[in-house]
Amino acid sequence: MLRREFVLLSGSAALALGAGLARTTLVAAATTALQRGADGAQRAARLPFAMLDILPTNDIVVRVAKSEMGQGVLTSLPMLVAEELGVELADVRVELAPGAAAFRDARGGQITGYSSSVSSSFLPLRAMGAAAREMLIIAAAQRLGVVPTALRVRGRTVVDDATGRAVPFADLLEFASMLPIPAAPRLTAPADYRLLGRALPRVDTGNKVDGSAQFGIDVRVPGARVAVLARPPTFGGSYQSFDDAAALAMPGVEKVVPLQSGVAVVARDFWSAKRGRDALAIAWQRGANGDRSSATHAAELDAALSKPGKLARAEGQVPDGQLFAAATTNQASDPVFAEYRLPFLAHAALEPLAATAHVQADRCEVWVGTQSPSRVQQWGAKLTGLSEDRIIVHTHTIGGAFGRRGEWDYYLEAIELSQRLAVPIKLMWTREDDMQHDFYRPANATRLAAGLAADGRIGWFAGRVAAPSINRRRSPAALERGVDQSLVEGLFDHLYSIGNQRIDYHEVELGVPVGYWRSVGHSSNVFVLESFIDELAQRAGVDPLTYRLNMLAGEPRMRGVLEAAAEAANWGRYAGEQRSAGRGQGLACAKSYGTYVAQVVDVAMTAAGLEIERVVCAVDCGQVVNPNIIEQQMHSGIIFGLTAALRGAITIAQGAVAQSNLHDYRLLGIHESPPIEVRIMASRASPGGCGEPSTPVIAPALANAIFAASGRRLRQLPLQPQLGGV
């Protein structure tokens, strides 16, 4: 987006967005569905905001239109509203917003992704809180017979300090609701923030601890049946025939229904449905990808790398000819070449996929944990023939998403089954289903080359990426307009000052479904780039920190996080004894989603194997809303990235995923997680994202530390199998 401010509109105004439909903005008037309270009683007056409600009881309700999947939006976004409304966070009751047009943003979607929840909401939600405050104060001024400047908000009241008179918000609603929405409400100056920047406790911790939080997998709708699907084991496969006699003989099983995506077993409960699925006899057609394997994919990526690709970035002059096939004699004047490989990765969220749907003649209700309620409405309307406003989405807390719950396959299966059977259907995926029928982080092969000047600086730099395209399926129109950023982000947009460079890429279809995975292309390309920069520093004989800083003269925020991480980690403390003692430090840095991150990793190579002793992370995400949540997200992204760096790999054999569960796709355990120290840089810059930016940096920092400790340069992920671990 060119600007983060969404236009603050009244309930009668609208933006025409997408498919010719009128879409009200993020801070627009409430929809009809929200005009009634929980008790069904019509409210006489209310403020004209879908996301902010003040009840006759004087309770304040903030409805959060972003999905809560562990990143803390149920705390950080209400803080923005409360800051400007003039109340404390404890004065606010927080709810997840349902899927509805009133909760779509100026781009026409109700979507959580791209680490944009705070950055895209920072000004709009503050403007909404400030507008509500000004409307309440004007109403109170009219009631008390004073000028608005004599009044202020205290608690959930408007107070006249001169006389001590106070009016509860609820008593002002009738008049305030008739006022025009202020076009440019006054926002609080940073120096006067009461809440922003404070480490306030998360509001969603208690219900997760006591078990009362309702995730999509917990939903129980009266009369619902439970379904599981038998899906083709190979990508692109299908069923030829099936025998359902044994499945229907299982207690509790009621129906077996063929769908385009597989064969569904419908039962009274999950275990009956699963046992019924296990009893199905299905003859599968393996499809065009049935004989493909990881070795096949590697050969196809290699073939792509042998020729020039689509240009992503070109500056100055780079040597022509067979650049990436050139021989090297390891002389200081020789070009430096390196090749990197990364595997497919699963999302492996702790909550397996689930969705409940009930299709009726005039409506379709869906209970689901999703990153995009608006997409549920759009896809649900296409499938059922109902209008989007008749697709009613009940949103739920998500037990991990990382991009997977931005997809639509799992809830469309539930909707289709409910429509065909005319009963509510809860469709559940097992962990094995989740692992073997994912939209995976793309496998990637990259070749880099560079020529060094006499002083060790980079004279020219070239890179070529080969990988499947996520956008070919998700955003095909964007590919016609320019660079496929999901393939090259983190590489073609690096911040290093290099005068001569060329980056190109190949889109290689491998027959494996791919999708957005936490930090998307950065997760691959930052490992490649930051590992190579370390190699160049070694060839130049320059300290890796100094080498980077020399190329970042025009990037003060990146320099700032590098220097802060290095200082906190006591960078260089192993110099002179690193390899002899098996100890080493490595560092890496990257900008993604508007946020600058640098990390230093300390490792020890022991008789028992690799030991990660400490990770230090410095982050500049602009204006801090809640430092607790930022620190939590840095920890989360680092541990997520360590799992991938150390042992994450989805391998393909005969067209199918070889891994099936967490025993052969192991997540990092708490006993394996290193101490992590986070330093948050003070900044008044616009907020950046925090959910993803720490993930891509950890793998290269770790690989560089391993090199410092052992002299082994590892250019392939995962790392642990190459070190003799599992």
Side-chain angles (χ1 to χ4, degrees):
M1 298 179 63
L2 296 178
R3 55 196 292 250
R4 289 194 172 113
E5 299 94 334
F6 296 130
V7 182
L8 190 65
L9 297 176
S10 69
S12 60
L15 293 177
L17 295 172
L21 299 176
R23 300 290 182 219
T24 51
T25 63
L26 183 66
V27 293
T31 60
T32 302
L34 295 171
Q35 292 290 337
R36 296 183 179 274
D39 57 0
Q42 188 77 18
R43 294 181 189 144
R46 61 182 297 157
L47 294 178
F49 303 112
M51 298 183 68
L52 172 63
D53 211 356
I54 298 174
L55 308 183
T57 58
N58 213 40
D59 291 319
I60 301 168
V61 179
V62 171
R63 297 183 182 90
V64 174
K66 298 296 184 181
S67 303
E68 177 55 74
M69 46 194 181
Q71 83 280 34
V73 293
L74 288 177
T75 302
S76 56
L77 300 192
M79 285 177 67
L80 301 174
V81 180
E83 176 70 63
E84 299 296 346
L85 185 57
V87 301
E88 298 299 321
L89 184 61
D91 292 327
V92 172
R93 189 173 84 223
V94 181
E95 300 175 355
L96 279 172
F103 299 109
R104 299 187 185 184
D105 63 26
R107 292 169 291 185
Q110 186 179 345
I111 297 173
T112 304
Y114 315 106
S115 290
S116 65
S117 292
V118 169
S119 62
S120 66
S121 304
F122 187 71
L123 290 177
L125 292 190
R126 290 177 62 207
M128 183 178 69
R133 182 194 70 235
E134 290 187 6
M135 293 164 74
L136 291 166
I137 286 177
I138 291 170
Q142 176 71 18
R143 181 175 181 133
L144 298 175
V146 298
V147 295
T149 54
L151 304 177
R152 65 184 181 88
V153 170
R154 186 170 67 199
R156 286 171 278 183
T157 62
V158 178
V159 178
D160 179 359
D161 281 331
T163 64
R165 292 179 296 171
V167 187
F169 284 175
D171 292 351
L172 300 170
L173 289 179
E174 184 172 359
F175 185 84
S177 64
M178 295 184 291
L179 295 171
I181 299 176
R186 181 182 59 81
L187 300 181
T188 304
D192 297 326
Y193 286 157
R194 300 172 301 106
L195 304 181
L196 302 190
R198 289 177 54 193
L200 300 181
R202 286 178 60 150
V203 303
D204 59 339
T205 299
N207 63 5
K208 291 176 180 176
V209 172
D210 66 21
S212 61
Q214 287 291 295
F215 296 84
I217 204 168
D218 297 324
V219 170
R220 295 186 179 184
V221 173
R225 298 297 186 261
V226 178
V228 296
L229 256 69
R231 297 175 175 82
T234 58
F235 298 119
S238 59
Y239 64 86
Q240 289 179 311
S241 61
F242 63 90
D243 183 347
D244 59 8
L248 290 170
M250 287 288 178
V253 173
E254 297 181 346
K255 292 182 182 295
V256 175
V257 183
L259 301 177
Q260 184 176 352
S261 56
V263 181
V265 176
V266 181
R268 292 186 176 276
D269 58 75
F270 170 74
W271 288 111
S272 297
K274 184 178 182 303
R275 291 180 65 204
R277 183 181 70 173
D278 294 343
L280 279 174
I282 304 179
W284 297 107
Q285 168 60 255
R286 299 186 64 80
N289 299 309
D291 295 324
R292 294 163 67 83
S293 66
S294 293
T296 311
H297 299 155
E300 292 170 340
L301 294 172
D302 275 346
L305 289 176
S306 66
K307 54 186 181 295
K310 183 174 181 178
L311 192 63
R313 181 174 183 173
E315 298 169 14
Q317 298 293 318
V318 175
D320 295 325
Q322 296 298 312
L323 182 63
F324 296 105
T328 179
T329 61
N330 289 320
Q331 298 298 312
S333 59
D334 286 342
V336 182
F337 300 92
E339 184 170 301
Y340 299 86
R341 293 189 176 276
L342 297 94
F344 289 108
L345 291 176
H347 293 84
L350 291 183
E351 179 195 9
L353 296 168
T356 302
H358 188 193
V359 181
Q360 302 174 70
D362 64 341
R363 65 173 55 195
C364 168
E365 292 188 78
V366 184
W367 294 261
V368 66
T370 175
Q371 291 177 246
S372 181
S374 59
R375 194 170 284 133
V376 178
Q377 292 184 294
Q378 291 158 356
W379 281 106
K382 289 180 182 179
L383 181 59
T384 63
L386 297 166
S387 61
E388 285 187 23
D389 66 334
R390 305 312 299 164
I391 310 298
I392 300 165
V393 184
H394 306 277
T395 54
H396 288 269
T397 304
I398 298 172
F402 317 119
R404 180 61 176 96
R405 282 179 166 83
E407 302 289 348
W408 44 87
D409 53 335
Y410 62 110
Y411 54 76
L412 285 183
E413 292 170 342
I415 294 171
E416 182 181 358
L417 274 172
S418 177
Q419 185 174 30
R420 291 177 60 173
L421 300 180
V423 296
I425 291 291
K426 180 177 183 178
L427 188 129
M428 297 181 65
W429 289 47
T430 65
R431 180 78 64 194
E432 290 82 1
D433 295 335
D434 225 2
M435 191 71 66
Q436 298 183 320
H437 301 279
D438 201 347
F439 291 88
Y440 303 90
R441 198 280 303 270
N444 171 298
T446 300
R447 291 178 183 169
L448 298 182
L452 300 187
D455 61 359
R457 295 177 181 269
I458 300 174
W460 57 265
F461 173 74
R464 181 167 298 152
V465 179
S469 171
I470 301 168
N471 288 328
R472 179 61 57 189
R473 174 180 63 89
R474 293 293 301 265
S475 304
L479 302 186
E480 306 306 319
R481 298 195 295 267
V483 172
D484 188 342
Q485 295 202 20
S486 69
L487 273 169
V488 291
E489 62 186 357
L491 179 60
F492 91 119
D493 52 356
H494 68 79
L495 300 182
Y496 294 118
S497 177
I498 301 173
N500 303 295
Q501 56 185 317
R502 176 188 170 92
I503 309 294
D504 63 25
Y505 66 93
H506 289 278
E507 175 189 334
V508 184
E509 174 54 56
L510 298 178
V512 176
V514 294
Y516 298 128
W517 186 93
R518 193 174 191 171
S519 76
V520 197
H522 299 93
S523 69
S524 300
N525 296 322
V526 171
F527 169 72
V528 169
L529 175 66
E530 286 296 293
S531 296
F532 192 60
I533 293 295
D534 234 58
E535 294 202 42
L536 299 181
Q538 177 207 1
R539 174 68 71 91
V542 179
D543 172 78
L545 172 62
T546 303
Y547 200 73
R548 288 172 169 83
L549 292 174
N550 287 341
M551 293 189 290
L552 292 168
E555 297 291 342
R557 295 178 71 184
M558 186 63 84
R559 288 179 61 92
V561 293
L562 271 169
E563 291 169 340
E567 179 186 24
N570 192 13
W571 173 258
R573 64 196 176 104
Y574 295 138
E577 63 162 327
Q578 292 191 107
R579 291 179 191 167
S580 61
R583 311 283 297 275
Q585 288 183 306
L587 86 163
C589 62
K591 177 189 177 185
S592 59
Y593 307 99
T595 290
Y596 301 76
V597 173
Q599 293 170 15
V600 176
V601 178
D602 290 9
V603 302
M605 309 300 292
T606 70
L610 172 68
E611 180 181 342
I612 304 172
E613 296 183 321
R614 182 174 66 152
V615 177
V616 174
C617 172
V619 54
D620 179 349
C621 60
Q623 172 64 55
V624 171
V625 173
N626 188 318
N628 273 354
I629 293 175
I630 294 171
E631 183 170 0
Q632 290 162 10
Q633 286 304 289
M634 292 301 109
H635 279 245
S636 170
I638 288 168
I639 292 172
F640 191 86
L642 277 175
T643 286
L646 288 169
R647 58 175 75 119
I650 288 292
T651 55
I652 309 299
Q654 294 186 309
V657 171
Q659 290 71 29
S660 64
N661 208 315
L662 298 183
H663 70 286
D664 53 7
Y665 193 88
R666 292 175 52 222
L667 307 184
L668 201 70
I670 192 169
H671 65 289
E672 301 171 293
S673 301
I676 300 172
E677 177 183 338
V678 177
R679 288 203 172 183
I680 301 172
M681 311 295 287
S683 176
R684 293 301 189 199
S686 297
C690 284
E692 298 172 271
S694 67
T695 295
V697 183
I698 188 62
L702 175 58
N704 294 338
I706 291 170
F707 172 78
S710 68
R712 295 186 61 185
R713 184 67 73 181
L714 303 180
R715 302 189 182 101
Q716 181 171 332
L717 296 181
L719 300 170
Q720 218 160 44
Q722 302 171 72
L723 298 171
V726 294

